[in-house]
Amino acid sequence: MIRSELVQKIAEENPHLYQRDVERIVNTIFDSIIDAMSRGDRVELRGFGAFSVKKRESRIGRNPRTGESVSVDEKHVPFFKTGKLLRDRLNGKA
């Protein structure tokens, strides 16, 4: 599902809301999650999962084409851990 499909589904299920308002709400939620993660905070949505940021140390990597060693800088990457309810539903337990 992409963002526009999510907006469309929410708008269909809530006919009292204008689609532009639903789009603004979805964008605000995503922007809030991104802002929190950029500050290094953890974002938890109960039953769905938790978003956090993990730090990857710098290391020496290898160029797969030439085989030469290259330096890979330290970086921060997003990490998502599923919640129990989501895991159970994916595995047909609930």
Side-chain angles (χ1 to χ4, degrees):
M1 177 179 280
I2 59 176
R3 186 184 300 223
S4 59
E5 292 171 341
L6 177 62
V7 169
Q8 183 67 37
K9 183 159 177 62
I10 293 172
E12 287 171 1
E13 291 180 4
N14 296 280
H16 60 283
L17 296 174
Y18 292 112
Q19 183 159 345
R20 68 176 182 270
D21 293 337
V22 172
E23 195 169 330
R24 191 174 304 134
I25 291 166
V26 169
N27 287 336
T28 300
I29 291 169
F30 287 148
D31 288 343
S32 297
I33 291 171
I34 292 168
D35 290 343
M37 290 179 68
S38 67
R39 290 190 309 267
D41 295 341
R42 181 174 185 264
V43 177
E44 182 178 333
L45 303 171
R46 293 283 165 109
F48 183 71
F51 298 91
S52 60
V53 178
K54 289 200 174 198
K55 179 180 170 185
R56 292 216 178 134
E57 300 293 336
S58 60
R59 60 185 172 85
I60 301 297
R62 191 164 303 278
N63 182 332
R65 183 172 290 161
T66 63
E68 85 179 72
S69 295
V70 292
S71 175
V72 178
D73 293 335
E74 167 187 293
K75 59 185 165 184
H76 294 86
V77 294
F79 178 75
F80 178 74
K81 181 176 181 186
T82 58
K84 185 177 182 333
L85 180 63
L86 175 59
R87 240 184 346 262
D88 289 346
R89 289 189 69 180
L90 288 175
N91 292 309
K93 294 181 181 175

